[in-house]
Amino acid sequence: MTSRNSPAARTAEKQRDIQKQVAASDAKHERKAKGSDKPAAMQAGARAYPVPPFPIQHQPKPGAEHKLDPAPLYEAPFYKGSGKLEGKVALITGGDSGIGRAVAVLFAREGADVAILHLAEGKDADDTVAAVEAEGRKAMAIPGDVKDRVFCQKAVAAVVEVFGGLDVLVNNAAFQVHTKDVLDLTEEHFDETLKTNLYGYFFMAQAAIPHMKEGSAIVNTGSVTGIDGSKNLLDYSMTKGGIHAFTKALSSQLVPKGIRVNAVAPGPVWTPLNPSDKEAEEVSTFGADTPMKRPAQPEEIAPAYVFLASSHCSSYITGEILPIIGGY
């Protein structure tokens, strides 16, 4: 029988004391949580960002940034350019709004001329062109469908003709509509998602690579859904996982050409993509289930694209998937 004064007994008593202290602390925190509102959203940036609940809203596809409430923040007013893309030419698909617009602005601030492709969002595209030009760089917008291989080839040719070359391709255009039951996912819906999100990236890469030289870069937009999956976005998750694999495979192919290929995999970001997908009530709480308790704003994601596009920053990085997912 162990003596109460033995070393083992004293250690056991010490462990019970620690256990009681932790239990008391836990109870204190639980009482405090019950007596207060839900935990505050994390604000770690240069300015405070919008927090759910947002106004209940829904938009028809493809969505319009100028109608979104609150307006997505893309200007990144505290971001200082330093010539990371000086003299470069960049082409961004889905560049009219959301992440694409924010990337266009920062690319311009870093010295690049920027062309954007968009489906049919004329007002948003005009706003993005104006934002790029306000940074002192040239801009152009080309409407069309990246599912169309001929359009992709013509768009790249037009950019090369107008700007004199192509150094950075950002594949960002996407189609997303949730379906809660796999049996309700129609072939037409499935086809539209795969052809936009996979064929579009493939066609754009095929069109762009012959014009790119050593030091050029391709940056693809993946998603956290391509890492973890999403039960209501079966087809979208498949394409984003495919984009991650495409990124790694293409990067290996292009090493001899000196062209780097990487991807950014965002979590929830406040862009027209989701309010034109989710039901209006779900839009109100978009991003609230992240550890940061809010979605990212486009300007919080865009610096990652600058980093991966610039040989000054990432010359030894290729085939990587960079998750920016709010602490998951």
Side-chain angles (χ1 to χ4, degrees), residues 64-309:
E65 180 150 328
H66 66 277
K67 295 181 179 179
L68 202 49
D69 182 18
L73 300 178
Y74 66 88
E75 307 96 330
F78 298 98
Y79 181 100
K80 306 299 182 185
S82 58
K84 297 181 184 71
L85 297 172
E86 193 68 41
K88 303 293 186 181
V89 175
L91 173 56
I92 304 169
T93 71
D96 56 286
S97 63
I99 293 173
R101 177 186 290 181
V103 171
V105 169
L106 291 197
F107 277 14
R109 197 169 298 170
E110 291 292 358
D113 293 327
V114 181
I116 63 167
L117 305 188
H118 65 99
L119 185 60
E121 306 91 336
K123 171 69 165 64
D124 284 349
D126 290 344
D127 290 344
T128 301
V129 167
V132 169
E133 291 175 342
E135 299 291 338
R137 305 306 305 181
K138 297 176 184 176
M140 64 185 295
I142 305 173
D145 189 349
V146 294
K147 298 197 308 293
D148 181 347
R149 176 184 234 138
V150 173
F151 165 73
C152 294
Q153 293 170 339
K154 289 182 176 179
V156 168
V159 172
V160 172
E161 180 180 358
V162 172
F163 290 156
L166 180 60
D167 303 288
V168 180
L169 169 65
V170 176
N171 278 316
N172 176 66
F175 177 78
Q176 170 189 309
V177 177
H178 72 276
T179 304
K180 295 183 178 180
D181 190 326
V182 64
L183 301 182
D184 295 330
L185 183 58
T186 67
E187 184 176 348
E188 179 184 31
H189 180 168
F190 187 79
D191 217 34
E192 185 70 15
T193 308
L194 265 67
K195 287 193 172 180
T196 301
N197 300 0
L198 288 177
Y199 282 56
Y201 282 38
F202 170 62
F203 290 157
M204 287 302 303
Q206 275 198 327
I209 288 167
H211 300 280
M212 303 178 99
K213 55 187 181 295
E214 189 175 88
S216 296
I218 298 173
V219 185
N220 297 320
T221 299
S223 170
V224 64
T225 66
I227 300 171
D228 296 334
S230 173
K231 65 179 182 180
N232 294 333
L233 292 171
L234 177 66
D235 52 328
Y236 184 80
S237 299
M238 287 175 64
T239 63
K240 291 301 180 175
I243 287 165
H244 296 172
F246 173 65
T247 298
K248 289 179 174 293
L250 185 60
S251 71
S252 298
Q253 265 196 27
L254 297 184
V255 164
K257 295 181 181 292
I259 301 171
R260 297 178 301 104
V261 187
N262 293 287
V264 178
V269 185
W270 186 245
T271 77
L273 183 67
N274 288 284
S276 66
D277 164 30
K278 295 178 178 293
E279 296 173 0
E281 291 75 14
E282 293 179 358
V283 174
S284 176
T285 59
F286 180 64
D289 59 349
T290 68
M292 288 193 180
K293 307 299 181 186
R294 64 174 179 85
Q297 290 294 317
E299 68 179 36
E300 296 181 277
I301 306 297
Y305 289 77
V306 173
F307 171 73
L308 293 174

Side-chain angles (χ1 to χ4, degrees), residues 15-30:
Q15 291 178 353
R16 287 191 289 272
D17 288 342
I18 293 172
Q19 184 181 31
K20 290 177 183 177
Q21 291 170 10
V22 171
S25 297
D26 286 349
K28 178 181 176 182
H29 288 305
E30 287 176 7

